[in-house]
Amino acid sequence: MHQTGHVPGSRTFVGRQGDLARLVEFATSAPRSGGRLLVIAGEAGVGKTRLIDELVSSIGSSGTKVVRCRADEHETAAFGPWRGAMEQLALAPPGTDPSVPAREQRWDVVDQLSSALVANAPSLVVVDDLHWADDDALWVLEHLLDRSGDGSSAFIAATRPGSRSRATRWHSLYRRGQVLALDGLDVDEVADLVEQLGGSPHQAAALWERTGGNPLFVREQLRAGDHAMSTTIDDLLVATIEGLGREAADMLSVLSLAGGGTPVTVLAAACATSIGDLERNLTAARHADLLTDGDDGIRFRHDLLSEAAAARLGADHRARAHLAIADAWASAGAPEAALRRARHLLWAIPAAEATQAAEAVLTVAATLRARKQPAEAADLLRAAVTALEPRSDISAATKTQIRLAEFEAHSALDDLASAARAGEAALEAAVETAD
């Protein structure tokens, strides 16, 4: 087993006092006209979430109602981050009426949330990892800002700059709000952090040069010890994960592919282990400060840890892991099981047969359209086109079916440009079939 240095928990907070004061003032200042939005932008590991934790702690006695939610790259349900917000406000989750298309539920989501926020004023809504939010979730945020014209609700969103975004809508949000750009800690702040984490302040200058003052990177360098000063941060994170032993590390890799919030029964089946053994490994990962328990279940303490857990697997191993997750979802009774299985089958190619993945996608897409959920169908079919279009082991007829299904989903959304592109592609595939 790889031995690592001991580093205390991740609750250490140094520096950022000016940033914290700005956030406290923003969150608790007297209402003024216009929706209030502040975007915290910074690279992964720089401390966006930790700064928000400190903000929430600082305003705990101010009487401000705090609602925290987050976007997730593995989210398959519509309005992903807002589901958590609605649960905290004791509101019914969206999508309870399958006959109503997700896009038509957007106004209802806005109506419910805005009314609840007014009833709980003054309120602060925090959306973490906004870079993973889909178009509908961003649309809801825009319209919540419009509804909060009296200024009684403030909104803070944390995001990585330059990450995948929703173009026009994303940039319109940036223009509407203040932006707080988080950089790395300075040398003196790194020295304070190192001392609080049990290291020697004499290491600060070298660590600052090595990490750019990124707190997560500093912490992992300390955990790994002096011998790792020439190692990349990716290798450090992988070493931290593998320090738990092979069984626990493989479990974490499967969790990273399955996504936060995956039920333990599905995770255990995908790992081919018992619930008891799975819980033992989860406990070890929690004690190592790699995992945390959120409202939506188990998740990595940081996205970079999740990315490192996935990256330690080679392409073939990763494909086999996705196939195991797909098989585990096939036995689950959860409402989203079929959709999650179809996505993992796409990612499992070539460990899974491409034709099997295509059949699953078409079946699930038809079910979603029948349930008036064309946005989810379109998203799944878009992923299928990306995964299957280049492959020669999928017939032109099957590709035509996928494109036609995509055409129908986009048409139901009144996305005529996307529908036209899918229709043209379906026609080309049909001509190839005829030839």
Side-chain angles (χ1 to χ4, degrees), residues 240-379:
T240 296
I241 290 165
E242 294 186 341
L244 295 179
R246 177 65 178 272
E247 182 181 319
D250 286 348
M251 178 273 295
L252 289 171
S253 293
V254 172
L255 175 60
S256 71
L257 300 177
T262 298
V264 292
T265 52
V266 172
L267 188 58
C271 293
T273 190
S274 68
I275 296 291
D277 286 343
L278 178 75
E279 291 289 1
R280 174 174 52 80
N281 286 320
L282 289 173
T283 298
R286 291 187 185 97
H287 287 165
D289 206 22
L290 302 180
L291 297 180
T292 185
D293 293 295
D295 293 336
D296 56 349
I298 309 159
R299 62 171 54 253
F300 282 88
R301 175 173 58 82
H302 199 282
D303 282 350
L304 287 179
L305 287 165
S306 176
E307 293 165 12
R312 64 180 288 272
L313 303 180
D316 290 344
H317 193 172
R318 192 178 302 121
R320 292 195 300 273
H322 276 299
L323 180 57
I325 297 167
D327 290 342
W329 274 114
S331 303
E336 75 273 23
L339 176 56
R340 299 285 285 263
R341 173 178 178 268
R343 286 189 177 278
H344 283 288
L345 284 174
L346 288 173
W347 295 326
I349 298 171
E353 293 185 4
T355 52
Q356 178 190 16
E359 290 170 2
V361 166
L362 287 168
T363 299
V364 172
T367 300
L368 290 171
R369 293 199 307 276
R371 291 176 178 171
K372 308 298 185 185
Q373 296 175 288
E376 288 84 347
D379 189 51

Side-chain angles (χ1 to χ4, degrees), residues 8 12 14 189-201 203-204 222:
T12 304
V14 300
E189 291 168 338
V190 169
D192 289 342
L193 177 60
V194 169
E195 189 170 12
Q196 291 191 37
L197 292 175
S200 168
Q203 300 171 277
L222 283 175

Side-chain angles (χ1 to χ4, degrees), residues 158-171:
T159 184
R160 298 184 198 175
S163 298
R164 176 175 63 90
S165 62
R166 304 291 172 173
T168 303
R169 179 155 287 136
W170 177 266
H171 293 297

Side-chain angles (χ1 to χ4, degrees), residues 382-395:
R382 190 181 305 115
V385 168
T386 300
L388 301 174
E389 195 72 19
R391 301 194 63 83
S392 59
D393 53 348
I394 289 288
S395 68

Side-chain angles (χ1 to χ4, degrees), residues 72-334:
D72 190 327
E73 74 172 306
H74 297 283
E75 182 63 71
T76 58
F79 314 110
W82 300 114
R83 290 175 173 270
M86 296 179 80
E87 181 178 352
Q88 292 170 56
L89 291 166
L91 301 173
T96 52
D97 184 354
S99 66
V100 180
R103 183 143 298 191
E104 293 181 15
Q105 298 175 44
R106 298 190 302 184
W107 284 114
D108 184 53
V109 171
V110 171
D111 288 343
Q112 290 193 65
L113 282 170
S114 59
S115 296
L117 292 174
V118 168
N120 286 277
S123 57
L124 170 66
V125 179
V126 179
V127 186
D128 211 346
D129 292 336
L130 190 67
H131 47 275
W132 297 126
D134 64 15
D135 192 67
D136 284 335
L138 293 175
W139 186 96
V140 168
L141 177 54
E142 274 194 298
H143 286 78
L144 285 175
L145 287 168
D146 292 338
R147 294 286 184 90
S148 61
D150 63 354
S152 61
S153 296
F155 297 81
I156 292 177
T159 184
R160 298 184 198 175
S163 298
R164 176 175 63 90
S165 62
R166 304 291 172 173
T168 303
R169 179 155 287 136
W170 177 266
H171 293 297
S172 73
L173 283 171
Y174 258 82
R175 289 194 296 270
R176 294 184 63 168
Q178 305 176 38
V179 176
L180 172 59
L182 279 194
D183 296 320
L185 303 175
D186 63 28
V187 176
D188 291 337
E189 291 168 338
V190 169
D192 289 342
L193 177 60
V194 169
E195 189 170 12
Q196 291 191 37
L197 292 175
S200 168
H202 298 298
Q203 300 171 277
L207 282 167
W208 181 81
E209 288 282 349
R210 178 74 185 135
T211 65
N214 184 300
L216 176 66
F217 298 174
V218 170
R219 186 173 183 278
E220 294 305 322
Q221 286 279 4
L222 283 175
R223 186 200 294 269
D226 291 340
H227 68 278
M229 289 298 285
S230 62
T231 305
T232 67
I233 185 61
D234 292 339
D235 290 340
L236 282 175
L237 294 175
V238 169
T240 296
I241 290 165
E242 294 186 341
L244 295 179
R246 177 65 178 272
E247 182 181 319
D250 286 348
M251 178 273 295
L252 289 171
S253 293
V254 172
L255 175 60
S256 71
L257 300 177
T262 298
V264 292
T265 52
V266 172
L267 188 58
C271 293
T273 190
S274 68
I275 296 291
D277 286 343
L278 178 75
E279 291 289 1
R280 174 174 52 80
N281 286 320
L282 289 173
T283 298
R286 291 187 185 97
H287 287 165
D289 206 22
L290 302 180
L291 297 180
T292 185
D293 293 295
D295 293 336
D296 56 349
I298 309 159
R299 62 171 54 253
F300 282 88
R301 175 173 58 82
H302 199 282
D303 282 350
L304 287 179
L305 287 165
S306 176
E307 293 165 12
R312 64 180 288 272
L313 303 180
D316 290 344
H317 193 172
R318 192 178 302 121
R320 292 195 300 273
H322 276 299
L323 180 57
I325 297 167
D327 290 342
W329 274 114
S331 303

